[in-house]
Amino acid sequence: MEKVQSVRGTYDLFGDAKRKMKKVIATGEQVVEKYGFEEIETPIFEFTEVFARNLGDTSDIVTKEMYCFEDKGGESLTLRPEGTAGVVRAFVSNGMQQNLPVKFYYHGPMFRYERPQKGRQRQFTQFGVELLGVENPQADIEVISMAYEFLEKLGLNGQVTVEINSLGDAESRDAYREKLVAYLQEHFDELSQDSKNRLERNPLRILDSKEECDKAVVENAPRYADSLNEASQQFFADVLRGLDLLGIKYRVNDRLVRGLDYYSHTVFELTTDKLGAQGTVLAGGRYNGLVAQMGGGDVAGIGWACGVERLAMLIEENIALPRPIAVIPVGEDTQDKALQIAHQLRLAGFNVEQSYSGNMKKRLIKANKINAAYAVILGSDELANGSATLKNLDSGEQKNVSLDNLTEELK
Ligand code: ATP
Ligand code: MG
């Protein structure tokens, strides 16, 4: 019979890989809760238009990567490829405009039909934040510093670069787009086929093309910074000044544009050179028009999301589980007492393993294998006078302790 397999690009998560992912999420939660962010959980699928309309109909996600399906009622639904559209949809559906700012974080599975490779899966996990209702650069500074602190707390100090750019407001963006298209048209023949296709619909995307021929053209393309109007320049300068004040090192990357339509002003990515081509671990930006686009009025927004699997791969040391205590009955007649003692110790907060079968020697070997710190050995003679043997499995030292003092001794 053929072996049953998971779908290409999906993985079963367990053991150390899962522990590392839990650590990434717990660290993220700890950091962002200090900034007043609260968890939101939105559905894993939405009406297709929530993504199709709001991510931009020329984005890679919408054109190539979405898992869309029709349900039995004939609705077109899509497994979420990212978190922002769903959170903003929830913000609008629940009428949260009355009480701004709103600060949410989320984590959970995302789905994109991509070519699977290291750090690129079809189901993956994101942890992200959204801050709605703050127009001024303080919000940008705060969310970037939060991202930075998060990665530092994961132990990635010195391994992460903050790349940042400004796309400016709508006026600046239109001005730049016009200049860029004019320039690219002059070099049309030198562009890759993909970029030729993008030229009309999504010229900004050509800036971060990975094709060598495109890179050569982009090298001399007009600079984004030269198209920012005064207000946009000021905004960007204020963001950078704030990062300076906090000692956050960044690199202004004039070619950073991000692939989605909803961004304006600040866009940023945190990258590492440890993961080869999949070096971007966290990415985000400001999306001032998105809430209005969903019919929620003029509410500014900014946020980021990180790939939890990619971050987990960067955690080098294995994550140790708390060491358990092994409770070992010697002989059938002490089994019931072992059950009770294990129960008592668990109620007192200890991790307890009862080896399920075997003689004492076998059970001790097992206790060492699961990295137990102590064994509580219950022989019938000792039990008869209310005591047991407590064995330190590191030193091999053992002593007789009264059952009444067992919890105290173990503490
Ligand atoms: P990339 O350029 O790598 O395709 P992206 O711009 O599509 O990234 P975002 O939509 O910004 O990625 O998602 C934020 C983060 O989520 C990424 O920086 C990455 O860490 C993670 N991520 C995105 N797509 C995948 C995937 N298919 N598998 C695993 N992680 C992913
Ligand atoms: Mg992508």
Side-chain angles (χ1 to χ4, degrees):
M1 202 177 88
E2 235 176 276
K3 209 163 131 191
V4 288
Q5 279 180 334
S6 68
V7 175
R8 187 164 134 83
T10 68
Y11 297 89
D12 303 307
L13 292 163
F14 54 92
D16 200 56
K18 180 66 188 180
R19 291 199 282 273
K20 285 178 173 164
M21 288 181 59
K22 280 179 82 166
K23 176 171 170 175
V24 170
I25 290 166
T27 307
E29 288 181 331
Q30 246 171 39
V31 170
V32 308
E33 282 178 2
K34 285 193 301 177
Y35 291 74
F37 284 68
E38 212 188 318
E39 184 166 0
I40 183 169
E41 188 170 332
T42 63
I44 282 171
F45 52 84
E46 298 272 354
F47 291 120
T48 295
E49 61 186 46
V50 169
F51 306 112
R53 284 210 352 235
N54 296 304
L55 308 189
D57 55 13
T58 59
S59 64
D60 281 353
I61 291 184
V62 174
T63 53
K64 298 188 263 190
E65 299 174 359
M66 294 207 303
Y67 277 94
C68 306
F69 61 98
E70 199 175 284
D71 74 2
K72 291 194 162 63
E75 301 279 10
S76 175
L77 305 179
T78 293
L79 297 181
R80 63 182 183 194
E82 57 98 59
T84 303
V87 171
V88 171
R89 197 274 309 141
F91 173 87
V92 175
S93 312
N94 293 282
M96 297 186 208
Q97 295 91 331
Q98 304 315 315
N99 219 344
L100 298 174
V102 164
K103 303 178 186 182
F104 281 130
Y105 72 83
Y106 60 84
H107 55 86
M110 305 293 162
F111 305 84
R112 297 184 192 178
Y113 190 77
E114 302 202 66
R115 197 169 67 77
Q117 50 194 296
K118 185 170 187 257
R120 195 172 290 288
Q121 307 168 196
R122 290 183 174 172
Q123 177 175 338
F124 62 101
T125 312
Q126 280 187 341
F127 179 94
V129 301
E130 312 295 349
L131 168 46
L132 290 143
V134 183
E135 255 176 84
N136 71 48
Q138 260 176 287
D140 308 51
I141 299 160
E142 198 166 274
V143 298
I144 293 171
S145 92
M146 205 159 68
Y148 196 76
E149 182 187 338
F150 169 36
L151 298 192
E152 281 203 321
K153 289 253 155 73
L154 278 178
L156 306 178
N157 318 37
Q159 298 180 31
V160 173
T161 312
V162 181
E163 308 243 3
I164 188 167
N165 193 25
S166 172
L167 305 179
D169 55 14
E171 185 187 77
S172 307
R173 193 171 163 146
D174 291 346
Y176 181 70
R177 176 193 272 258
E178 208 168 296
K179 274 199 237 172
L180 180 67
V181 171
Y183 169 83
L184 292 173
Q185 259 154 359
E186 283 168 33
H187 296 269
F188 191 77
D189 294 336
E190 299 154 53
L191 294 172
S192 69
Q193 191 53 49
D194 259 1
S195 291
K196 283 179 177 150
N197 298 340
R198 284 187 196 125
L199 185 56
E200 286 304 317
R201 301 178 68 203
N202 198 355
L204 288 185
R205 274 305 263 176
I206 298 174
L207 291 180
D208 64 6
S209 165
K210 313 251 179 330
E211 302 281 346
E212 288 307 324
C213 57
D214 294 333
K215 281 188 187 164
V217 175
V218 162
E219 187 69 32
N220 298 308
R223 300 269 135 198
Y224 213 121
D226 299 333
S227 294
L228 295 182
N229 60 20
E230 215 178 304
S232 299
Q233 281 178 36
Q234 187 59 52
F235 191 96
F236 193 34
D238 288 343
V239 173
L240 298 183
R241 207 176 66 86
L243 297 180
D244 288 334
L245 284 174
L246 299 179
I248 294 171
K249 293 200 196 63
Y250 56 83
R251 193 172 76 87
V252 176
N253 176 352
D254 195 61
R255 299 299 179 220
L256 182 65
V257 288
R258 309 279 310 128
L260 305 176
D261 273 5
Y262 55 55
Y263 287 115
S264 56
H265 289 290
T266 318
V267 290
F268 55 94
E269 291 188 353
L270 275 59
T271 59
T272 153
D273 51 17
K274 295 265 156 76
L275 292 173
Q278 267 58 255
T280 305
V281 288
L282 184 151
R286 185 170 268 285
Y287 47 85
N288 285 353
L290 185 57
V291 178
Q293 200 174 305
M294 287 202 215
D298 186 18
V299 178
I302 182 165
W304 51 253
C306 68
V308 175
E309 286 86 354
R310 285 191 200 176
L311 283 171
M313 283 191 284
L314 290 171
I315 301 177
E316 272 160 21
E317 81 286 9
N318 290 353
I319 294 179
L321 289 171
R323 297 182 71 183
I325 293 160
V327 173
I328 301 181
V330 184
E332 284 299 316
D333 54 338
T334 62
Q335 188 66 57
D336 287 355
K337 195 67 190 169
L339 187 69
Q340 286 175 314
I341 289 174
H343 185 62
Q344 247 172 40
L345 289 175
R346 286 182 181 131
L347 290 180
F350 295 102
N351 283 21
V352 180
E353 289 282 344
Q354 257 188 293
S355 39
Y356 301 104
S357 63
N359 61 24
M360 177 162 86
K361 190 165 161 234
K362 271 203 180 133
R363 291 195 200 217
L364 273 172
I365 291 171
K366 226 174 189 176
N368 277 310
K369 212 162 145 191
I370 58 169
N371 196 29
Y374 289 92
V376 177
I377 301 166
L378 306 169
S380 33
D381 293 350
E382 286 169 302
L383 275 183
N385 55 47
S387 71
T389 301
L390 183 61
K391 182 175 171 110
N392 179 326
L393 293 175
D394 292 330
S395 64
E397 229 175 284
Q398 57 182 57
K399 62 177 172 185
N400 190 269
V401 293
S402 126
L403 289 178
D404 297 334
N405 294 336
L406 188 57
T407 315
E408 275 310 303
E409 280 286 336
L410 284 166
K411 274 180 185 153

